[in-house]
Amino acid sequence: MASGGGGVGGVAVHKVLNNNVVVSIDESGQERVLMGRGLGFQLKSGDTLDDTKVEKTFVLDQGSEAEHARQLLTDVPYPVIEAVTRAVDEAERTLGRSLGRRLPLAVIDHVQYVLERLQKGIRIPSTSMPELRVLHPQEFAAAAAMATSISAQLGTELPREEAVFLTMHLLNATRDEPNGTAALLFRRLQHVVGTVEEGLGVHLDTGSADYARFILHIQFLLQRLVAKSMLRGSDTSFFEFAKRSYPRSYAIAEDVKSYVSAATGSELTDEELLYVIVHVERLANQVAADATPSGAPDAPGEPG
């Protein structure tokens, strides 16, 4: 499904979906959904529409996806469609690239679902996923702006966690990966973070530099696993040193290794495990420093 602006002069109406949405067939036989306030009012099949009222055009793919799109654009109130398409346009300008053919429909579907749940007093539990801010600050900022824009246009405050869901939509729209790949990566990354937090007995400071470095390292580690390009080295002396010197961080790293093995079927090399130990030890030192009262001796130094 592709989208664009108006300007389709002399187009005949094929089908009226509602007062704001009509279907036409172009010269190549391609089905187009045209949208605009009052665009389909009192029109019927074969009439010529007023192209000055066309605000958005969607080119439908063939098959069940097209039927789903028609049904969605028929059922969803036009203010929601208008708010979402404007927000997507803003995000494309902000990010400086096309967000693909399917994103507007996916977001329309998602936002309408959220609005229906809010009207029923139902709020779906979510997580803040601070990792997104670290790994994809541009997409997260664009998604937060989308949520704010949609809320303002509809006069309904969307839950704060909508920035997370919209970021996932943006990531899947802008990456040449199967749908859900970004979500799978983040679920695994979050599980690793949870493993470390459980081992240290704390909630990590998501705004710290050490946390950001740790998140970036785990992201690249998981990507290396997929690419089968894990770090390998012949010198095991520092690994043995870290294993002896930082037993708690080593134990946590072993728990991470066990999770990764169960989730991906791949075993972390000692070189990969070493860097996990180092990052966990840095986080442990940060936790200790944060817990040290002012004027008390500093926490032990971190590994290099």
Side-chain angles (χ1 to χ4, degrees), residues 151-187:
S151 295
Q153 290 181 73
L154 297 179
T156 300
E157 191 69 27
L158 295 179
R160 289 183 60 187
E161 59 266 24
E162 283 312 301
V164 171
F165 290 114
L166 292 177
T167 302
M168 300 306 295
H169 278 297
L170 290 179
L171 289 173
N172 281 327
T174 56
R175 279 158 174 72
D176 186 20
E177 300 170 338
N179 242 1
T181 299
L184 178 61
L185 171 66
F186 282 112
R187 282 198 298 272

Side-chain angles (χ1 to χ4, degrees), residues 6-304:
V8 291
V11 172
V13 174
H14 175 66
K15 186 178 182 181
V16 178
L17 298 183
N18 57 43
N19 283 342
N20 307 298
V21 184
V22 304
V23 176
S24 70
I25 306 293
D26 65 19
E27 294 178 353
S28 65
Q30 185 77 50
E31 191 172 344
R32 294 174 179 264
V33 174
L34 312 175
M35 298 185 303
R37 285 187 177 273
L39 179 64
F41 182 64
Q42 292 187 334
L43 289 181
K44 59 183 182 299
S45 179
D47 287 347
T48 300
L49 58 81
D50 180 358
D51 69 322
T52 64
K53 292 184 178 181
V54 177
E55 298 170 358
K56 202 74 177 175
T57 303
F58 290 102
V59 180
L60 297 185
D61 299 321
Q62 301 300 314
S64 59
E65 238 181 57
E67 182 55 39
H68 172 69
R70 281 192 296 269
Q71 194 63 50
L72 184 69
L73 297 173
T74 300
D75 296 343
V76 174
Y78 189 67
V80 175
I81 295 171
E82 189 175 39
V84 169
T85 53
R86 285 183 179 177
V88 170
D89 287 345
E90 292 167 8
E92 287 187 328
R93 287 193 292 271
T94 298
L95 296 172
R97 59 183 182 273
S98 169
L99 294 175
R101 302 187 304 162
R102 294 178 176 83
L103 180 68
L105 272 184
V107 178
I108 289 169
D109 199 8
H110 174 78
V111 170
Q112 180 61 18
Y113 176 78
V114 172
L115 293 173
E116 289 173 358
R117 294 301 175 273
L118 289 176
Q119 289 169 2
K120 296 176 181 177
I122 301 171
R123 184 161 176 169
I124 300 172
S126 179
T127 176
S128 61
M129 290 185 74
E131 301 86 3
L132 286 175
R133 296 180 179 87
V134 175
L135 298 176
H136 304 287
Q138 290 181 317
E139 286 87 352
F140 186 86
M146 285 177 67
T148 300
S149 173
I150 293 168
S151 295
Q153 290 181 73
L154 297 179
T156 300
E157 191 69 27
L158 295 179
R160 289 183 60 187
E161 59 266 24
E162 283 312 301
V164 171
F165 290 114
L166 292 177
T167 302
M168 300 306 295
H169 278 297
L170 290 179
L171 289 173
N172 281 327
T174 56
R175 279 158 174 72
D176 186 20
E177 300 170 338
N179 242 1
T181 299
L184 178 61
L185 171 66
F186 282 112
R187 282 198 298 272
R188 289 175 175 172
L189 192 150
Q190 282 189 301
H191 195 108
V192 171
V193 171
T195 299
V196 173
E197 288 184 327
E198 183 178 354
L200 294 177
V202 298
H203 288 296
L204 297 172
D205 177 6
T206 60
S208 73
D210 284 331
Y211 180 85
R213 284 194 289 266
F214 172 68
I215 290 299
L216 287 170
H217 178 78
I218 297 301
Q219 180 200 26
F220 294 139
L221 182 155
L222 293 172
Q223 289 174 339
R224 285 195 295 273
L225 285 175
V226 173
K228 302 187 183 303
S229 59
M230 281 184 285
L231 299 176
R232 298 180 185 278
S234 55
D235 184 1
T236 62
S237 59
F238 191 48
F239 171 73
E240 293 299 329
F241 169 79
K243 182 177 175 180
R244 292 193 308 271
S245 302
Y246 313 116
R248 181 172 65 163
S249 295
Y250 170 70
I252 294 171
E254 279 289 335
D255 288 340
V256 170
K257 179 180 179 179
S258 296
Y259 164 70
V260 168
S261 176
T264 69
S266 298
E267 295 290 333
L268 295 186
T269 63
D270 286 351
E271 189 81 356
E272 293 284 8
L273 200 61
L274 167 62
Y275 284 105
V276 175
I277 295 170
V278 169
H279 281 287
V280 171
E281 186 65 19
R282 281 177 169 158
L283 290 170
N285 287 336
Q286 175 199 312
V287 169
D290 291 344
T292 301
S294 179
D298 291 338
E302 65 181 38

